[in-house]
Amino acid sequence: MAIDLASRVENSTKIRCLLLENTFTSIPDVAKSLFDLKFVRCLPRWFYKNQYLSRLKVPRLMMPTLYLSGLGDQLIPSSMMTELYNSTSSETKIMGRFPGGSHNETWMSNHYYPTIEYFLDEVPITKLCLQFKVCRVEVAHYSIFLKY
């Protein structure tokens, strides 16, 4: 959802940075990963009502982007995060990898919060945020508004 919103032209001046955690390339890719059955691998894309084709949208991301990947995620393979990271067009992108981080508990990994703090301190979003007094950060399907 966050990738979809951030990739839209009408939002390009509204979103200053993007944080993504354990995110998938698409719903069909997740289905193929979770269900190693021949018929699932053969399902056409039109079969899926909501496809969330993030892999096709990340090349349109121009804002600074932080990828937070739990390497122990059993639901979303970390290779999907790597693929999204490699496809992102933003000049400023960072990949944080957290060994042992699971799908719902990566936030408890060592260096998780320092990685976010580094990203917010070091990437060139601070000046842009200061202009507007509020910086909107999208974390998966959560919005965080940082007030300065």
Side-chain angles (χ1 to χ4, degrees), residues 1 24 26-28 45-53:
M1 201 64 170
F24 49 80
S26 72
I27 294 294
R45 285 207 184 264
W46 58 262
F47 179 80
Y48 299 91
K49 180 179 180 183
N50 297 314
Q51 297 181 29
Y52 295 103
L53 302 174

Side-chain angles (χ1 to χ4, degrees), residues 1-3 18-23 137-143:
M1 201 64 170
I3 291 172
L18 184 65
L19 280 71
L20 300 166
E21 179 180 327
N22 297 326
T23 304
V137 181
E138 295 286 341
V139 183
H141 30 272
Y142 303 100
S143 292

Side-chain angles (χ1 to χ4, degrees), residues 69-82:
S69 180
L71 300 181
D73 191 335
Q74 299 296 313
L75 185 62
I76 307 297
S78 61
S79 60
M80 289 189 187
M81 287 289 284
T82 301

Side-chain angles (χ1 to χ4, degrees), residues 30 65 109 111 120 148:
V30 171
T65 305
S109 300
H111 308 292
L120 294 174
Y148 291 89

Side-chain angles (χ1 to χ4, degrees), residues 17-87:
C17 67
L18 184 65
L19 280 71
L20 300 166
E21 179 180 327
N22 297 326
T23 304
F24 49 80
T25 52
S26 72
I27 294 294
D29 291 346
V30 171
K32 290 174 190 174
S33 171
L34 290 176
F35 307 106
D36 191 26
L37 303 169
K38 185 174 183 175
F39 82 90
V40 173
R41 288 190 307 267
C42 296
L43 289 174
R45 285 207 184 264
W46 58 262
F47 179 80
Y48 299 91
K49 180 179 180 183
N50 297 314
Q51 297 181 29
Y52 295 103
L53 302 174
S54 297
R55 170 61 183 84
L56 300 178
K57 295 175 182 180
V58 294
R60 296 192 301 256
L61 297 179
M62 296 300 165
M63 71 283 297
T65 305
L66 173 61
Y67 287 88
L68 302 162
S69 180
L71 300 181
D73 191 335
Q74 299 296 313
L75 185 62
I76 307 297
S78 61
S79 60
M80 289 189 187
M81 287 289 284
T82 301
E83 186 177 344
L84 291 173
Y85 172 84
N86 290 334
S87 301

Side-chain angles (χ1 to χ4, degrees), residues 63-138:
M63 71 283 297
T65 305
L66 173 61
Y67 287 88
L68 302 162
S69 180
L71 300 181
D73 191 335
Q74 299 296 313
L75 185 62
I76 307 297
S78 61
S79 60
M80 289 189 187
M81 287 289 284
T82 301
E83 186 177 344
L84 291 173
Y85 172 84
N86 290 334
S87 301
T88 299
S89 296
S90 174
E91 291 180 19
T92 306
K93 58 184 179 179
I94 296 173
M95 171 67 89
R97 291 185 173 93
F98 303 93
S102 67
H103 187 72
N104 293 316
E105 296 165 346
T106 299
W107 64 273
M108 295 190 314
S109 300
N110 288 336
H111 308 292
Y112 179 86
Y113 290 104
T115 301
I116 295 172
E117 184 177 9
Y118 170 81
F119 175 74
L120 294 174
D121 285 345
E122 298 297 323
V123 298
I125 61 168
T126 307
K127 290 178 185 171
L128 293 171
C129 290
L130 288 174
Q131 288 176 351
F132 296 94
K133 304 287 187 220
V134 174
C135 183
R136 180 176 181 180
V137 181
E138 295 286 341

